[in-house]
Amino acid sequence: KGKLLVVKFRRTGESARSEDDTASGEHEVQIEGVRVGLEAVELDDGAAVPKEFANPTDDTFMVEDAVEAIGFGKFQWKLSVLTGLAWMADAMEMMILSILAPQLHCEWRLPSWQVALLTSVVFVGMMSSSTLWGNISDQYGRKTGLKISVLWTLYYGILSAFAPVYSWILVLRGLVGFGIGGVPQSVTLYAEFLPMKARAKCILLIEVFWAIGTVFEVVLAVFVMPSLGWRWLLILSAVPLLLFAVLCFWLPESARYDVLSGNQEKAIATLKRIATENGAPMPLGKLIISRQEDRGKMRDLFTPHFRWTTLLLWFIWFSNAFSYYGLVLLTTELFQAGDVCGISSRKKAVEAKCSLACEYLSEEDYMDLLWTTLSEFPGVLVTLWIIDRLGRKKTMALCFVIFSFCSLLLFICVGRNVLTLLLFIARAFISGGFQAAYVYTPEVYPTATRALGLGTCSGMARVGALITPFIAQVMLESSVYLTLAVYSGCCLLAALASCFLPIETKGRGLQESSHREWGQEMVGRGMHGAGVTRSNSGSQE
């Protein structure tokens, strides 16, 4: 190991430096292989080391450097719980669709296309608003966009419980979907406060809250549906949103966003607040931005550097949502029939009956739904274990391949227990693939277009989710095998798309500017910053 030399300061009254001192190099600093000659500086006894010498190689730092220096602590734990609440609420609003659909199908005697439309309208709302929320977050701040979207979702979520007829619930659930489209921006805000080493693990652990949300929704349905009905289920499902709306006033604005919008003082205040809460020192020097640039322009996603990445990511997100929500909706259908063969025989038997024939979800259906929903927890753990070992791209590809394999195994006439196991594994891995995409996307785009990049990807996911009810509920009536083949084929293509992504973000810092070579912040500046941190402590001891 090379010896790391630090700056030495001579106190007043000490002898002038000798030629031997100079030769020994005690007035030089060596950081990451860089040697910088320094003049001797005289200090009075007890005087503090001047700022310009406390950070001998650089008197400026970027938000990335500050976030890395402050590290992970109390502030990030609080932020994790808050972001988690937003995710929990989003998951519950999604999970409620697979419970609400069969209930209203029976209660209001709806044909299958109207049941599918009830699910699709939520995703139409999400799709139409995802890019808008991304734009609002890039133009007016992450916190602003998130706060408005959460309050919007809360209001229309509660209102939809009072819908008197089908047309009303259709409109109100569409407006709920419009609000949910902004919830993924919580990941943008969260990722921008996380140090590089903790980022993948933390974003994945936030997905635990998604799993908690889906499980909580099923448990809530088990207790609420038989006695109080679906209206109370809709009201109680809005509780996490209410908690988030109350607590989000504590939430700070992203320091990266503040610096980008020219508000350095506010960014410094935010960073100081985080440093105080974490009990960590702030970097010395002046906060800078790599380059001022326009925020949230769609064309930035299609520059030669990002064009291929954007198009592949759009397809990956589309496939993820298409398959994930398809599986959620298929699960209730498959459980009601017993297995795939049960659906085929049931369709033949029902043909002679009224097309409005329906079945309420039984207690056994709810329990099996709960078991497959619990698969999200091992899904998180598996992804957490492999994402920093295999990298983001290979993790996504692996999750898609395993989902496809499980979908094909459903072709065999299996019993209910094996069916539950296959659905468990398939859901674990497709939710794992979704989580990996949520880690990769904020890492690959620069600060100026990060929220918009995530917003457009989220929008494409909603296109997939919008189409999926017509496959999982309507096409299923024609052919269960064709339905499963569509999901399996789509995921195999998505696995290929994951492999073809040009950038692997594992071990890289969040990119500040699209004008820099990708990852330069951490490969160049970040490594340099690590050396500065060590020399800081040395120079002041």
Side-chain angles (χ1 to χ4, degrees), residues 89 93 96 100 149-163 169 171-180 230-239 241:
E93 291 296 343
I96 206 170
L100 195 63
S149 74
V150 164
L151 290 170
W152 177 291
T153 310
L154 177 66
Y155 177 73
Y156 287 108
I158 293 171
L159 207 61
S160 62
F162 300 97
I169 199 161
V171 171
L172 290 169
R173 294 312 288 172
L175 289 167
V176 167
F178 191 89
I180 293 174
W230 62 269
R231 293 183 191 275
W232 273 101
L233 185 66
L234 284 176
I235 292 169
L236 293 171
S237 297
V239 170
L241 278 172

Side-chain angles (χ1 to χ4, degrees), residues 93-155:
E93 291 296 343
M94 292 295 96
M95 195 64 206
I96 206 170
L97 297 172
S98 60
I99 297 162
L100 195 63
Q103 185 71 22
L104 291 181
H105 179 41
C106 292
E107 207 170 295
W108 288 356
R109 317 304 291 172
L110 302 175
S112 60
W113 69 268
Q114 281 192 326
V115 176
L117 194 60
L118 189 62
T119 304
S120 290
V121 76
V122 178
F123 294 114
V124 168
M126 293 164 88
M127 181 189 71
S128 59
S129 70
S130 292
T131 305
L132 173 72
W133 293 120
N135 262 317
I136 289 171
S137 296
D138 278 332
Q139 298 286 347
Y140 304 105
R142 283 42 165 153
K143 182 181 176 179
T144 307
L146 192 56
K147 211 156 57 174
I148 296 168
S149 74
V150 164
L151 290 170
W152 177 291
T153 310
L154 177 66
Y155 177 73

Side-chain angles (χ1 to χ4, degrees), residues 308-379:
W308 191 228
T309 300
T310 298
L311 292 172
L312 286 173
L313 271 178
W314 281 6
F315 180 68
I316 287 165
W317 278 71
F318 170 90
S319 305
N320 248 323
F322 177 74
S323 308
Y324 176 84
Y325 294 115
L327 190 70
V328 170
L329 295 171
L330 267 175
T331 301
T332 50
E333 294 283 341
L334 289 167
F335 282 152
Q336 283 184 328
D339 64 1
V340 169
C341 302
I343 285 189
S344 301
S345 57
R346 190 183 71 176
K347 298 303 170 199
K348 292 187 184 86
V350 170
E351 257 176 66
K353 297 180 189 175
C354 172
S355 65
L356 298 180
C358 75
E359 291 175 49
Y360 286 98
L361 288 174
S362 67
E363 193 176 324
E364 192 185 9
D365 293 332
Y366 278 123
M367 290 317 293
D368 284 335
L369 192 60
L370 182 60
W371 279 115
T372 53
T373 305
L374 284 168
S375 66
E376 307 235 349
F377 290 102

Side-chain angles (χ1 to χ4, degrees), residues 1-6 8 24 29-31 35:
K1 282 189 175 178
K3 189 182 175 188
L4 182 68
L5 298 174
V6 298
K8 293 192 177 180
S24 69
V29 61
Q30 172 126 12
I31 296 163
R35 292 180 71 85

Side-chain angles (χ1 to χ4, degrees), residues 500-521:
F500 283 120
L501 281 166
I503 301 164
E504 173 56 74
T505 61
K506 176 185 156 189
R508 301 289 183 94
L510 289 192
Q511 196 186 3
E512 294 288 351
S513 167
S514 55
H515 298 285
R516 286 188 166 215
E517 190 59 36
W518 204 94
Q520 190 181 331
E521 277 73 20

